[in-house]
Amino acid sequence: WSTIQKQAKQDDIAVKIDTALHSVEKNNPALKGALPDNYFSRLGIDVSKLAALIDSINNIDTIAEMIEPHSGKIYDPCCGSGGMFVQSVKFVENHQGNKKDISIYGQEQTGTTYKLAKMNSCRPHDLR
């Protein structure tokens, strides 16, 4: 993500995002088929708008600090894209904890959103 952020304003950022997504899928067998091929390249989004989107995503504030997930199980019955799971792991890391001390479990009805949660989660096999 930090590489994408640094290159957000380059003319070929859409290709770089697609390449990164392809690499993520290739290196994580559980994600096989979860990501579309050349999605951002095909959209033809203006570079400035794509850069603004990347900035917006980077500035999303979260609620994980409220639940203080130091260890144990984290369950989200409507997990959406898995943002709470990602932020919970960040919370543990930011507080010098061990992310292996938490387990995440979630549910999502919408197939596309489930795939996003699977992609975003630290342990995709925990999603049901």
Side-chain angles (χ1 to χ4, degrees), residues 23-88:
S23 295
V24 167
E25 190 176 54
K26 182 179 176 185
N27 292 310
N28 295 279
L31 298 177
K32 185 174 183 169
L35 305 173
D37 290 332
N38 301 317
Y39 180 76
F40 287 94
S41 300
R42 287 185 283 135
L43 287 177
I45 298 175
D46 182 78
V47 172
S48 63
K49 289 183 181 180
L50 195 49
L53 175 62
I54 291 167
D55 288 342
S56 294
I57 291 170
N58 193 50
N59 292 322
I60 293 174
D61 197 13
T62 60
I63 64 162
E65 297 250 355
M66 288 176 27
I67 62 172
E68 297 182 357
H70 293 285
S71 64
K73 295 178 183 175
I74 300 169
Y75 172 64
D76 186 351
C78 302
C79 68
S81 62
M84 184 176 73
F85 301 143
V86 173
Q87 294 308 315
S88 295

Side-chain angles (χ1 to χ4, degrees), residues 58-121:
N58 193 50
N59 292 322
I60 293 174
D61 197 13
T62 60
I63 64 162
E65 297 250 355
M66 288 176 27
I67 62 172
E68 297 182 357
H70 293 285
S71 64
K73 295 178 183 175
I74 300 169
Y75 172 64
D76 186 351
C78 302
C79 68
S81 62
M84 184 176 73
F85 301 143
V86 173
Q87 294 308 315
S88 295
V89 170
K90 285 183 182 179
F91 176 88
V92 170
E93 291 173 338
N94 290 338
H95 291 86
Q96 290 72 46
N98 185 344
K99 64 184 178 184
K100 292 182 180 180
D101 289 341
I102 63 170
S103 297
I104 59 171
Y105 300 89
Q107 293 176 205
E108 178 53 45
Q109 179 178 359
T110 308
T112 304
T113 309
Y114 170 79
K115 289 178 180 181
L116 287 172
K118 197 172 178 180
M119 179 182 72
N120 288 331
S121 297

